Amino acid sequence: MQFPGRNRKGLALAVILGAAGGLAGPAAAQTIVVQGSQRVDAETIRSYFAGTDQARINQAVRDLYSTGLFSDVRVRRDGGRIIVQVVENGVINRVAFEGNSKVKSDILLAELQTRSRGAYSPPTVQADVERIRDVYRRAGRGAANVTARTVDLPNGRIDVVFTINEGGKTGVRAIEFVGNEAYSAYRLRGIMQTTEMNFLSWVKTTDVYDPDRISADLEAIRRFYLRNGYADFRVVGSDARYDDSRQGWVVSISVEEGAPYRIGSVSVDSRIADVDSAVLQAAVRLRAGDWYNGDLVERSVEAIQREVARRGYAFASVRPRGDRNPSTQSVSLSFVVEEGPRVYVERIVIKGNTRTREYVIRREFELGEGDAYNRVLVDRAERRLNGLGFFKKVRIVNEPGSAPDRVVVVVDVEDQPTGSFGVSGGYSTQDGIIGEVSISESNFLGRGQFVRASATIGQRTRGANLSFTEPYFLGYRMAGGLDLFWRESINSQYALYDTASIGATARVGIPLTEQFSMGLRYSIYQTDITIPNDSRRPYNDCTDPITGVTPGTTGASAAVATSPGVAGNNCMTNGEASLAVKQAEGAWLTSAVGSTFSFSTLDNARNPTSGLYAELRTDVAGAGGDAKWVRGTGDLRYYYPVWENVTLIARAQGGHIAAYGDGELRIVDNFNLGPSLVRGFAPGGIGPRDASVGIGNRTAALGGTSYYGASLELQFPIFGLPREVGLRGAIFADAGSLFGYNGRTDFSGLVAACSGSTPPCIGGVNPQSGTLTVKDENKIRSSVGASLLWASPLGPIRFDYAFALSKVEGVVGTDGIRRGGDVTQAFRFSGGSSF
């Protein structure tokens, strides 16, 4: 077998022999003898010779070669005969690969044109060699070497073997920008998914050169500029070259920014008689004076399109038109609404979905077969499909239908893996060392459903969660889900009791607009509170004395005080839970319904840098169960980009809970806050406290019914570190307060009656008084500090160091110990969510 060089020799020889032999006269008048054909019928070969002139003879030879069935074709004249001598290509028995380990054989085979049971074609094989090299280039191994050879078998069959030397990883060594002035190359690289190679290359794949990913990055850069006023921005070109000396790719991107524009005026020009322009004006998302924003222009077009269609004009088209004024750097924006061509959707054809079910794709379209064709809605469906995360690529094209007014919408997708298995670990100052194992699938069984199961175990906590979400509940664009959970927390330095919770939440999320959404939920859970009371943790021995542990009992080594107010040991001095905790001890069932209203203009839901997020949550307990209360909380966050990758975050939050009917708030119903409200304070370190003698101040939190707080935080990159490291710095200032203990203070029924000095009694008195001493002040606590944020492979980790500027001071008891005041904690470490 030979490669294409022999073909060219054969063709040249055919031409020379034809000229020398003077092949003239009608070919049909001469006998054409075919020699060497085995599988191709001789009559088929004769049919290629349709003329007698030399040009047609040469064309016939070229046509025979183009079939790919022959490795050699020779033509000569023998008297009155024309002899056509052919050598057929062998039949491919199988296609095999040698040396590939980084790319699987089935992936390579899908890229090839050479197929088993097909005719061997040297040009096709050579083209397949380049295709394999291209696959390796996309996989980050641009130095891979590929050769092809054949193995002859009996009966004219052959094996085609591709030998691959994969070489080392060849990633992107540098990403360069030309023409950028408003934004630095560092800022633009931060927008891209593609990253440069560095010391983290052994654990990441984003530095692999992928032309498809580069194209997506260019689109992201374009949209970034258009969002920030640069209406004339365009990507002039991009070039990727492999640098042998650096053993990697160098990507160069040339841009033309233009000037930033503000909106000079906004108008709607309706050319449909029955549709008033003033009515459509309300659908426009931009106002005069705003910076030009390409995303808001698209949203305005969609909103106007929907409003016009709602009024019965399904074929109307909306075209944005911008008249620039370079002298004032403003653009007059006009939306032209007019009747469009009457074109209908004949069919929607789905291709390439090997795993995702077809209805999951179809439901993202707001139009169906037979509906009026609308380009805006098709583009919106394409964005939604890309946003699902189910597909590596999504491409929607139109093809002509069976009639001029019919169009076929073809959706070409490529599925990608959507499941993940996570093992994570972390540490927090409240829960200690934590480990979690989780498994999740965002496209469960190809139905577009989300399922996640996780198990957590740590020093002072353990639990399990199972979550299921159906994004199109009951066939509507609203998410329905069910969460099952179990969690146990053992006593720590912040609480002298253990809690165990088990329950379920059913929820429904309803998008009202692109920015507003509403959620409804029903939760039922049981909380079991137990107070440890043993030799190591004698936190309830004022109620149940422990022999050998409680002072005064047989075998107890501690000296016993002669009276509760005299220095010495008693059941309170070895640590005792508050009476409010003892009242809440046992199993309590809570049944609550709730709602959430949220508003978001964030640019990125996961890592926002600009926009507003507001959330209002309300819950009412009492639909069965043991609790009867109403709770409301609010959270407002505003993100403002101060400079490149520097973001200012302003936050305000507040909440209130109140019992109703014959309900009574327990300590676990109250808000128990600390660093989540004001950093620099311990968990449960803010708010009302039990100041009773003998109660440790750190563990005496009672919780409050009302809270409010505000904070400012400035986040910034750490100079010199690549963004893939995930480290950022922050400085912050917090202020807030928690107050309003409305629970019981008289717990005389919980205190063991005393007579004499039988433990736990001292002088006929129980050291734990039946009346709660509450320290509750509505005073603003404040702090300042700095943080280190790390988006680690094990999840987000945060280090906070804060200094408390103002706090509530405790009161000094008869034993000289200060109680009832806030508890500070300068350093806080948290992190360890799954990846």
Side-chain angles (χ1 to χ4, degrees), residues 398-431:
N398 298 331
E399 294 182 354
S402 59
D405 63 345
R406 298 289 187 270
V407 64
V408 176
V409 178
V410 180
V411 185
D412 189 8
V413 300
E414 181 180 343
D415 283 300
Q416 67 179 0
T418 53
S420 65
F421 174 77
V423 179
S424 63
Y427 175 84
S428 74
T429 48
Q430 181 171 351
D431 294 326

mmCIF file of all heavy atoms in Angstrom, residues 398-431:
data_model
loop_
_atom_site.group_PDB
_atom_site.id
_atom_site.type_symbol
_atom_site.label_atom_id
_atom_site.label_comp_id
_atom_site.label_asym_id
_atom_site.label_seq_id
_atom_site.Cartn_x
_atom_site.Cartn_y
_atom_site.Cartn_z
ATOM 1 N N ASN A 398 -31.451 27.617 11.644
ATOM 2 C CA ASN A 398 -32.723 27.494 10.920
ATOM 3 C C ASN A 398 -32.487 26.868 9.553
ATOM 4 O O ASN A 398 -31.495 27.170 8.883
ATOM 5 C CB ASN A 398 -33.382 28.866 10.737
ATOM 6 C CG ASN A 398 -33.726 29.510 12.064
ATOM 7 O OD1 ASN A 398 -33.993 28.828 13.038
ATOM 8 N ND2 ASN A 398 -33.708 30.836 12.096
ATOM 9 N N GLU A 399 -33.394 26.017 9.171
ATOM 10 C CA GLU A 399 -33.355 25.410 7.847
ATOM 11 C C GLU A 399 -34.697 25.644 7.161
ATOM 12 O O GLU A 399 -35.738 25.761 7.834
ATOM 13 C CB GLU A 399 -33.069 23.905 7.949
ATOM 14 C CG GLU A 399 -31.690 23.580 8.486
ATOM 15 C CD GLU A 399 -31.426 22.074 8.533
ATOM 16 O OE1 GLU A 399 -32.386 21.303 8.242
ATOM 17 O OE2 GLU A 399 -30.295 21.681 8.877
ATOM 18 N N PRO A 400 -34.698 25.744 5.814
ATOM 19 C CA PRO A 400 -35.965 25.983 5.107
ATOM 20 C C PRO A 400 -36.961 24.848 5.361
ATOM 21 O O PRO A 400 -36.605 23.677 5.471
ATOM 22 C CB PRO A 400 -35.541 26.024 3.633
ATOM 23 C CG PRO A 400 -34.077 26.309 3.665
ATOM 24 C CD PRO A 400 -33.548 25.674 4.907
ATOM 25 N N GLY A 401 -38.228 25.223 5.470
ATOM 26 C CA GLY A 401 -39.287 24.238 5.675
ATOM 27 C C GLY A 401 -39.873 23.781 4.357
ATOM 28 O O GLY A 401 -39.298 23.990 3.277
ATOM 29 N N SER A 402 -41.043 23.180 4.429
ATOM 30 C CA SER A 402 -41.696 22.638 3.241
ATOM 31 C C SER A 402 -42.351 23.718 2.395
ATOM 32 O O SER A 402 -42.787 23.449 1.277
ATOM 33 C CB SER A 402 -42.739 21.597 3.646
ATOM 34 O OG SER A 402 -43.710 22.187 4.502
ATOM 35 N N ALA A 403 -42.436 24.932 2.932
ATOM 36 C CA ALA A 403 -43.038 26.051 2.201
ATOM 37 C C ALA A 403 -42.259 27.317 2.546
ATOM 38 O O ALA A 403 -41.529 27.350 3.547
ATOM 39 C CB ALA A 403 -44.521 26.195 2.573
ATOM 40 N N PRO A 404 -42.387 28.365 1.738
ATOM 41 C CA PRO A 404 -41.633 29.596 1.998
ATOM 42 C C PRO A 404 -41.912 30.215 3.361
ATOM 43 O O PRO A 404 -41.052 30.918 3.904
ATOM 44 C CB PRO A 404 -42.072 30.529 0.861
ATOM 45 C CG PRO A 404 -42.504 29.600 -0.234
ATOM 46 C CD PRO A 404 -43.122 28.423 0.451
ATOM 47 N N ASP A 405 -43.104 29.990 3.900
ATOM 48 C CA ASP A 405 -43.441 30.570 5.197
ATOM 49 C C ASP A 405 -43.263 29.570 6.332
ATOM 50 O O ASP A 405 -43.868 29.699 7.399
ATOM 51 C CB ASP A 405 -44.874 31.096 5.190
ATOM 52 C CG ASP A 405 -45.894 29.985 4.967
ATOM 53 O OD1 ASP A 405 -45.498 28.885 4.533
ATOM 54 O OD2 ASP A 405 -47.092 30.223 5.235
ATOM 55 N N ARG A 406 -42.445 28.561 6.118
ATOM 56 C CA ARG A 406 -42.182 27.550 7.145
ATOM 57 C C ARG A 406 -40.668 27.484 7.390
ATOM 58 O O ARG A 406 -39.873 27.630 6.474
ATOM 59 C CB ARG A 406 -42.679 26.163 6.728
ATOM 60 C CG ARG A 406 -44.180 26.095 6.509
ATOM 61 C CD ARG A 406 -44.920 26.196 7.846
ATOM 62 N NE ARG A 406 -46.342 25.966 7.693
ATOM 63 C CZ ARG A 406 -47.240 26.905 7.453
ATOM 64 N NH1 ARG A 406 -46.819 28.163 7.289
ATOM 65 N NH2 ARG A 406 -48.517 26.625 7.357
ATOM 66 N N VAL A 407 -40.293 27.253 8.651
ATOM 67 C CA VAL A 407 -38.887 27.147 9.016
ATOM 68 C C VAL A 407 -38.722 25.971 9.973
ATOM 69 O O VAL A 407 -39.587 25.700 10.800
ATOM 70 C CB VAL A 407 -38.379 28.458 9.656
ATOM 71 C CG1 VAL A 407 -39.088 28.742 10.962
ATOM 72 C CG2 VAL A 407 -36.869 28.406 9.867
ATOM 73 N N VAL A 408 -37.623 25.278 9.813
ATOM 74 C CA VAL A 408 -37.287 24.163 10.698
ATOM 75 C C VAL A 408 -36.167 24.640 11.631
ATOM 76 O O VAL A 408 -35.107 25.073 11.170
ATOM 77 C CB VAL A 408 -36.836 22.926 9.902
ATOM 78 C CG1 VAL A 408 -36.403 21.807 10.861
ATOM 79 C CG2 VAL A 408 -37.949 22.448 8.987
ATOM 80 N N VAL A 409 -36.412 24.571 12.932
ATOM 81 C CA VAL A 409 -35.425 24.977 13.930
ATOM 82 C C VAL A 409 -34.649 23.731 14.358
ATOM 83 O O VAL A 409 -35.231 22.775 14.875
ATOM 84 C CB VAL A 409 -36.104 25.633 15.152
ATOM 85 C CG1 VAL A 409 -35.060 26.008 16.197
ATOM 86 C CG2 VAL A 409 -36.892 26.857 14.721
ATOM 87 N N VAL A 410 -33.354 23.745 14.097
ATOM 88 C CA VAL A 410 -32.494 22.593 14.403
ATOM 89 C C VAL A 410 -31.648 22.944 15.618
ATOM 90 O O VAL A 410 -30.909 23.935 15.623
ATOM 91 C CB VAL A 410 -31.596 22.224 13.212
ATOM 92 C CG1 VAL A 410 -30.709 21.029 13.577
ATOM 93 C CG2 VAL A 410 -32.443 21.921 11.990
ATOM 94 N N VAL A 411 -31.765 22.124 16.646
ATOM 95 C CA VAL A 411 -31.014 22.314 17.894
ATOM 96 C C VAL A 411 -29.958 21.218 17.973
ATOM 97 O O VAL A 411 -30.292 20.041 18.106
ATOM 98 C CB VAL A 411 -31.938 22.261 19.119
ATOM 99 C CG1 VAL A 411 -31.157 22.582 20.387
ATOM 100 C CG2 VAL A 411 -33.116 23.209 18.950
ATOM 101 N N ASP A 412 -28.704 21.605 17.876
ATOM 102 C CA ASP A 412 -27.594 20.649 17.923
ATOM 103 C C ASP A 412 -26.870 20.816 19.249
ATOM 104 O O ASP A 412 -26.330 21.885 19.544
ATOM 105 C CB ASP A 412 -26.644 20.904 16.751
ATOM 106 C CG ASP A 412 -25.592 19.806 16.622
ATOM 107 O OD1 ASP A 412 -25.696 18.795 17.344
ATOM 108 O OD2 ASP A 412 -24.670 19.967 15.810
ATOM 109 N N VAL A 413 -26.863 19.777 20.080
ATOM 110 C CA VAL A 413 -26.245 19.845 21.396
ATOM 111 C C VAL A 413 -25.223 18.718 21.538
ATOM 112 O O VAL A 413 -25.228 17.752 20.775
ATOM 113 C CB VAL A 413 -27.294 19.741 22.525
ATOM 114 C CG1 VAL A 413 -28.307 20.862 22.433
ATOM 115 C CG2 VAL A 413 -27.992 18.384 22.499
ATOM 116 N N GLU A 414 -24.369 18.857 22.528
ATOM 117 C CA GLU A 414 -23.417 17.811 22.872
ATOM 118 C C GLU A 414 -23.415 17.664 24.388
ATOM 119 O O GLU A 414 -23.051 18.587 25.117
ATOM 120 C CB GLU A 414 -22.010 18.161 22.374
ATOM 121 C CG GLU A 414 -20.974 17.088 22.692
ATOM 122 C CD GLU A 414 -19.583 17.452 22.200
ATOM 123 O OE1 GLU A 414 -19.469 18.350 21.344
ATOM 124 O OE2 GLU A 414 -18.613 16.837 22.692
ATOM 125 N N ASP A 415 -23.865 16.512 24.865
ATOM 126 C CA ASP A 415 -23.950 16.275 26.305
ATOM 127 C C ASP A 415 -22.573 16.264 26.944
ATOM 128 O O ASP A 415 -21.571 15.925 26.307
ATOM 129 C CB ASP A 415 -24.636 14.937 26.580
ATOM 130 C CG ASP A 415 -26.141 15.007 26.415
ATOM 131 O OD1 ASP A 415 -26.762 15.803 27.136
ATOM 132 O OD2 ASP A 415 -26.683 14.270 25.572
ATOM 133 N N GLN A 416 -22.533 16.636 28.219
ATOM 134 C CA GLN A 416 -21.297 16.562 28.979
ATOM 135 C C GLN A 416 -21.594 15.988 30.361
ATOM 136 O O GLN A 416 -22.742 15.969 30.800
ATOM 137 C CB GLN A 416 -20.660 17.942 29.120
ATOM 138 C CG GLN A 416 -21.440 18.929 29.960
ATOM 139 C CD GLN A 416 -20.722 20.269 30.056
ATOM 140 O OE1 GLN A 416 -19.653 20.469 29.507
ATOM 141 N NE2 GLN A 416 -21.315 21.202 30.786
ATOM 142 N N PRO A 417 -20.580 15.484 31.071
ATOM 143 C CA PRO A 417 -20.821 14.915 32.397
ATOM 144 C C PRO A 417 -21.410 15.954 33.354
ATOM 145 O O PRO A 417 -20.979 17.108 33.377
ATOM 146 C CB PRO A 417 -19.424 14.474 32.852
ATOM 147 C CG PRO A 417 -18.654 14.292 31.586
ATOM 148 C CD PRO A 417 -19.180 15.331 30.634
ATOM 149 N N THR A 418 -22.380 15.538 34.147
ATOM 150 C CA THR A 418 -23.035 16.450 35.079
ATOM 151 C C THR A 418 -23.034 15.933 36.507
ATOM 152 O O THR A 418 -23.586 16.573 37.393
ATOM 153 C CB THR A 418 -24.499 16.703 34.640
ATOM 154 O OG1 THR A 418 -25.160 15.442 34.470
ATOM 155 C CG2 THR A 418 -24.550 17.480 33.345
ATOM 156 N N GLY A 419 -22.456 14.778 36.743
ATOM 157 C CA GLY A 419 -22.387 14.239 38.092
ATOM 158 C C GLY A 419 -21.065 14.570 38.743
ATOM 159 O O GLY A 419 -20.069 14.871 38.081
ATOM 160 N N SER A 420 -21.044 14.531 40.064
ATOM 161 C CA SER A 420 -19.808 14.805 40.785
ATOM 162 C C SER A 420 -19.797 14.036 42.096
ATOM 163 O O SER A 420 -20.841 13.782 42.691
ATOM 164 C CB SER A 420 -19.639 16.305 41.060
ATOM 165 O OG SER A 420 -20.647 16.766 41.942
ATOM 166 N N PHE A 421 -18.604 13.679 42.491
ATOM 167 C CA PHE A 421 -18.387 13.035 43.785
ATOM 168 C C PHE A 421 -17.401 13.888 44.549
ATOM 169 O O PHE A 421 -16.333 14.233 44.027
ATOM 170 C CB PHE A 421 -17.840 11.616 43.601
ATOM 171 C CG PHE A 421 -17.468 10.942 44.894
ATOM 172 C CD1 PHE A 421 -18.436 10.411 45.723
ATOM 173 C CD2 PHE A 421 -16.141 10.857 45.280
ATOM 174 C CE1 PHE A 421 -18.087 9.800 46.920
ATOM 175 C CE2 PHE A 421 -15.780 10.249 46.472
ATOM 176 C CZ PHE A 421 -16.760 9.717 47.292
ATOM 177 N N GLY A 422 -17.765 14.284 45.751
ATOM 178 C CA GLY A 422 -16.912 15.193 46.502
ATOM 179 C C GLY A 422 -16.516 14.641 47.851
ATOM 180 O O GLY A 422 -17.327 14.042 48.560
ATOM 181 N N VAL A 423 -15.265 14.819 48.177
ATOM 182 C CA VAL A 423 -14.756 14.527 49.516
ATOM 183 C C VAL A 423 -14.107 15.809 50.000
ATOM 184 O O VAL A 423 -13.199 16.337 49.350
ATOM 185 C CB VAL A 423 -13.744 13.367 49.508
ATOM 186 C CG1 VAL A 423 -13.216 13.125 50.915
ATOM 187 C CG2 VAL A 423 -14.374 12.106 48.959
ATOM 188 N N SER A 424 -14.584 16.348 51.101
ATOM 189 C CA SER A 424 -14.079 17.634 51.546
ATOM 190 C C SER A 424 -13.819 17.599 53.033
ATOM 191 O O SER A 424 -14.320 16.742 53.763
ATOM 192 C CB SER A 424 -15.071 18.761 51.202
ATOM 193 O OG SER A 424 -16.290 18.562 51.893
ATOM 194 N N GLY A 425 -13.037 18.529 53.473
ATOM 195 C CA GLY A 425 -12.729 18.647 54.889
ATOM 196 C C GLY A 425 -12.550 20.097 55.254
ATOM 197 O O GLY A 425 -12.357 20.953 54.399
ATOM 198 N N GLY A 426 -12.600 20.367 56.520
ATOM 199 C CA GLY A 426 -12.430 21.739 56.951
ATOM 200 C C GLY A 426 -12.405 21.839 58.461
ATOM 201 O O GLY A 426 -12.368 20.838 59.189
ATOM 202 N N TYR A 427 -12.388 23.051 58.913
ATOM 203 C CA TYR A 427 -12.333 23.295 60.348
ATOM 204 C C TYR A 427 -13.061 24.592 60.624
ATOM 205 O O TYR A 427 -12.985 25.554 59.858
ATOM 206 C CB TYR A 427 -10.878 23.407 60.830
ATOM 207 C CG TYR A 427 -10.759 23.769 62.293
ATOM 208 C CD1 TYR A 427 -10.835 22.791 63.272
ATOM 209 C CD2 TYR A 427 -10.592 25.093 62.686
ATOM 210 C CE1 TYR A 427 -10.740 23.122 64.621
ATOM 211 C CE2 TYR A 427 -10.498 25.436 64.023
ATOM 212 C CZ TYR A 427 -10.566 24.450 64.992
ATOM 213 O OH TYR A 427 -10.489 24.782 66.312
ATOM 214 N N SER A 428 -13.804 24.621 61.715
ATOM 215 C CA SER A 428 -14.416 25.862 62.168
ATOM 216 C C SER A 428 -14.236 25.957 63.671
ATOM 217 O O SER A 428 -14.130 24.934 64.364
ATOM 218 C CB SER A 428 -15.909 25.920 61.814
ATOM 219 O OG SER A 428 -16.672 25.066 62.646
ATOM 220 N N THR A 429 -14.175 27.175 64.148
ATOM 221 C CA THR A 429 -13.977 27.371 65.577
ATOM 222 C C THR A 429 -15.185 26.906 66.380
ATOM 223 O O THR A 429 -15.083 26.719 67.588
ATOM 224 C CB THR A 429 -13.716 28.863 65.854
ATOM 225 O OG1 THR A 429 -14.696 29.649 65.166
ATOM 226 C CG2 THR A 429 -12.343 29.264 65.367
ATOM 227 N N GLN A 430 -16.327 26.714 65.736
ATOM 228 C CA GLN A 430 -17.522 26.255 66.450
ATOM 229 C C GLN A 430 -17.671 24.738 66.401
ATOM 230 O O GLN A 430 -17.965 24.107 67.412
ATOM 231 C CB GLN A 430 -18.770 26.915 65.861
ATOM 232 C CG GLN A 430 -20.056 26.505 66.586
ATOM 233 C CD GLN A 430 -21.247 27.324 66.151
ATOM 234 O OE1 GLN A 430 -21.118 28.308 65.424
ATOM 235 N NE2 GLN A 430 -22.417 26.947 66.613
ATOM 236 N N ASP A 431 -17.475 24.130 65.236
ATOM 237 C CA ASP A 431 -17.721 22.698 65.085
ATOM 238 C C ASP A 431 -16.457 21.858 65.070
ATOM 239 O O ASP A 431 -16.529 20.634 65.009
ATOM 240 C CB ASP A 431 -18.509 22.433 63.795
ATOM 241 C CG ASP A 431 -19.902 23.029 63.858
ATOM 242 O OD1 ASP A 431 -20.488 23.040 64.951
ATOM 243 O OD2 ASP A 431 -20.397 23.489 62.814
#
